[in-house]
Amino acid sequence: MTPWPRCAPRTQAALGLALCAVLAWPALRHALEASMWRHMVLQFPLLMLAGALLAAALPQRARAAVARCNAHGIAGLVFVAMVLAVLMVPRVLDLALRDPAIEAAKCAALLGAGAALRLSWRVAGWVVQGFFLGNMLPMTAVVGELYIDTPLRLCNAYLLDDQARLGQWLVGLAALLALGWLARVGWWMVRREGDALAVENA
């Protein structure tokens, strides 16, 4: 099941626009970007959520065009992986804080990644999802360990303890997402076995 059908596409798109407006509010944006962990662990997912909500407003013709070049969700998930990999580079975080054009590009890329994730996840199926997470989550954990262990400030804009805190968040989130996905796969397999037994005994 997915939470998206619980409200109308227009409502979802309106919520996405509202979330974009809130995140663009200078006071909130500066508060999120003042801390390295809030910048990556809060702002990034919220922008992706806004993009996923906005994707609800895509007309059917646009969805069909996306589906033609996004077989099994592969192209969309590759795009998501590329965006997140680039935005995990410390130099990019520094540039986003100093250059409004790069900040705008970062926000646009995360909105696009959120939309792509929504349009790709369900059609990807368990195998492609597992391949995507099997690449992204270890990378996230490795980046987190790098942030924890390095004695150097990798971002000029953030202090060393903030960098280490981000690393702990990244390692923890990678582990939680992996466990959550595996639990969902396990639940699906148990349910499928139960359905098969029910059919046999009918």
Side-chain angles (χ1 to χ4, degrees):
M1 290 294 293
T2 174
W4 305 118
R6 294 180 184 174
C7 57
R10 287 185 180 180
T11 304
Q12 293 180 47
L15 289 171
L17 283 173
L19 183 55
C20 286
V22 170
L23 292 172
W25 184 37
L28 179 59
R29 181 169 61 83
H30 293 151
L32 290 174
E33 294 179 349
S35 166
M36 194 177 183
W37 79 266
R38 289 197 300 268
H39 192 169
M40 194 176 290
V41 176
L42 292 181
Q43 189 190 54
F44 282 19
L46 287 172
L47 284 167
M48 291 181 69
L49 174 61
L53 290 167
L54 289 170
L58 281 176
Q60 193 58 41
R61 182 177 298 180
R63 287 177 175 270
V66 169
R68 284 195 294 271
C69 61
N70 191 30
H72 305 293
I74 294 172
L77 293 181
V78 167
F79 174 73
V80 174
M82 290 175 60
V83 168
L84 294 178
V86 169
L87 292 179
M88 283 185 188
V89 176
R91 176 65 174 163
V92 176
L93 292 181
D94 274 336
L95 290 173
L97 294 174
R98 297 204 310 263
D99 190 332
I102 295 179
E103 171 76 7
K106 177 199 80 176
C107 294
L110 287 167
L111 289 172
L117 188 62
R118 175 175 184 167
L119 296 173
S120 304
W121 189 253
R122 293 188 69 186
V123 299
W126 296 118
V127 174
V128 177
Q129 289 175 14
F131 184 80
F132 169 74
L133 293 176
N135 283 273
M136 283 303 304
L137 296 182
M139 180 189 75
T140 301
V142 168
V143 171
E145 286 292 341
L146 175 64
Y147 283 146
I148 293 170
D149 294 337
T150 182
L152 304 174
R153 287 172 58 191
L154 300 178
C155 276
N156 294 328
Y158 299 112
L159 298 177
L160 195 60
D161 60 342
D162 198 14
Q163 178 177 290
R165 190 176 301 113
L166 170 63
Q168 294 166 356
W169 272 99
L170 291 179
V171 172
L173 286 173
L176 285 174
L177 288 172
L179 290 173
W181 183 79
L182 289 171
R184 185 169 175 80
V185 172
W187 173 81
W188 175 79
M189 293 178 68
V190 168
R191 191 181 68 170
R192 189 178 66 170
E193 282 291 324
D195 291 344
L197 288 173
V199 170
E200 288 178 4
N201 295 330

